[in-house]
């Protein structure tokens, strides 16, 4: 399988805080890869560095071998990287339709936009029912669906998902993970950050464990689920 996305010895800072300390990872085409770790371990920073929201001070971010480390965020999105940030970040005063259409900012053909919008409504029937509602009036689960739909409108090759289950009721979490599996089965490669480590490892093929800005462990998802340290620290098993 060809490597689609790669981080090579990436160091990222927030001011004087050294958030990523030489992170190297790769995501092959068609995979779901998950980043597991505690709060503050550098999971969200890894995604933000890939999408250009923060800049790596050292190291490289590669998309199909092309160095995109210094590329502007909107250009990175146009190259095929979609990012669903932590906290969803939908536009609360815009309607569901308007929020989704914003995701197709780089598409000029109206019929393509219309076709993709219909695909989103097939994937997320709840959004069709609420198409004229303002984004801020939706439930947490519906806002998460909206954030994912918006990111998919640009037909990304790689989807960065940051804490998709955060704040959702358990019954909705399962639905979101079913959607993640479906999106992947349709050909989208996914890099997933998720506090619910068990759910993440169940849908992923491979995983990386981040601890204070460094990769502590990487393996197949199955091997990580059976790893004693992972079971104790991240899966809540004694």
């Amino acid at each position: 399988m060809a490597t689609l996305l790669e981080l090579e010895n990436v160091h990222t800072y927030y001011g004087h805080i050294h958030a990523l300390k030489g992170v190297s990872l790769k995501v092959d085409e068609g995979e779901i890869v998950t980043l597991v770790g505690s709060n503050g371990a550098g999971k969200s920073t890894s995604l933000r560095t890939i999408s250009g929201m923060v800049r790596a001070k050292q190291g490289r971010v590669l998309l199909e071998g092309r160095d995109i480390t210094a590329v502007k965020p909107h250009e990175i999105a146009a190259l095929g990287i979609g990012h669903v940030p932590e906290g969803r970040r939908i536009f609360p005063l815009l309607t569901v339709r308007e929020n989704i259409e914003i995701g197709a900012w780089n598409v000029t053909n109206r019929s393509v936009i219309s076709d993709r919008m219909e695909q989103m409504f097939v994937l997320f029937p709840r959004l069709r029912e609420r198409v004229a509602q303002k984004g801020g009036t939706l439930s947490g689960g519906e806002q998460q669906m909206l954030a994912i739909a918006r990111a998919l409108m640009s037909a990304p090759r790689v989807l960065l998902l940051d804490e998709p289950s955060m704040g959702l009721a358990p019954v909705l979490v399962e639905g979101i993970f079913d959607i993640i599996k479906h999106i992947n089965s349709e050909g989208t490669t996914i890099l997933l950050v998720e506090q619910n480590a068990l759910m993440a490892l169940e849908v992923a093929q491979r995983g990386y464990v981040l601890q204070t800005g460094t990769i502590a462990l990487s393996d197949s998802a199955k091997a990580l689920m059976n790893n004693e340290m992972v079971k104790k620290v991240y899966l809540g098993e004694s």
Side-chain angles (χ1 to χ4, degrees):
M1 241 182 316
T3 297
L4 194 53
L5 179 67
E6 190 166 7
L7 270 63
E8 284 184 350
N9 190 33
V10 166
H11 293 257
T12 301
Y13 291 77
Y14 292 111
H16 295 298
I17 298 166
H18 196 174
L20 297 184
K21 305 167 185 172
V23 168
S24 295
L25 61 85
K26 66 173 190 165
V27 183
D28 291 339
E29 197 163 356
E31 279 191 309
I32 299 177
V33 174
T34 187
L35 303 182
V36 174
S38 310
N39 285 335
K43 305 186 304 297
S44 293
T45 302
S46 297
L47 300 194
R48 288 166 62 84
T49 302
I50 292 165
S51 64
M53 292 167 74
V54 291
R55 289 267 176 253
K57 283 272 178 74
Q58 188 182 324
R60 299 195 301 165
V61 180
L62 304 170
L63 181 64
E64 284 190 302
R66 173 183 171 176
D67 189 342
I68 61 167
T69 316
V71 175
K72 293 181 174 131
H74 71 278
E75 293 172 348
I76 290 172
L79 288 171
I81 294 180
H83 189 178
V84 182
E86 183 181 359
R88 296 145 204 161
R89 309 277 174 88
I90 59 137
F91 296 97
L93 299 180
L94 298 185
T95 66
V96 165
R97 181 181 293 279
E98 289 165 341
N99 266 281
I100 295 173
E101 281 191 334
I102 283 170
W105 61 273
N106 62 334
V107 183
T108 52
N109 188 320
R110 290 303 303 178
S111 68
V112 170
I113 293 171
S114 181
D115 287 347
R116 288 186 189 169
M117 178 87 68
E118 179 57 30
Q119 289 168 14
M120 293 307 104
F121 290 146
V122 170
L123 188 58
F124 303 105
R126 295 275 282 280
L127 296 183
R128 191 197 297 273
E129 294 166 16
R130 304 198 177 3
V131 68
Q133 273 184 235
K134 290 213 166 29
T137 67
L138 302 182
S139 70
E142 290 162 352
Q143 288 189 18
Q144 187 63 66
M145 293 173 196
L146 182 57
I148 295 171
R150 181 179 63 190
L152 290 174
M153 282 294 284
S154 63
R157 300 189 58 205
V158 185
L159 186 63
L160 311 177
L161 279 174
D162 197 349
E163 303 286 8
S165 79
M166 183 182 278
L168 301 187
V171 66
L172 292 175
V173 171
E174 209 160 292
I176 289 291
F177 274 88
D178 284 343
I179 288 161
I180 290 168
K181 286 189 283 188
H182 176 77
I183 293 166
N184 179 246
S185 73
E186 295 284 297
T188 304
T189 302
I190 294 172
L191 180 57
L192 171 66
V193 162
E194 174 55 55
Q195 204 62 44
N196 187 331
L198 181 60
M199 290 287 277
L201 290 167
E202 281 177 347
V203 300
Q205 283 84 47
R206 293 188 303 109
Y208 293 86
V209 176
L210 268 168
Q211 290 180 342
T212 57
T214 61
I215 302 285
L217 200 58
S218 69
D219 214 327
S220 71
K222 190 172 182 182
L224 288 176
M225 278 195 281
N226 291 317
N227 179 281
E228 290 305 319
M229 184 272 282
V230 173
K231 285 201 285 191
K232 186 175 179 182
V233 178
Y234 303 107
L235 305 182
E237 297 180 25
S238 52

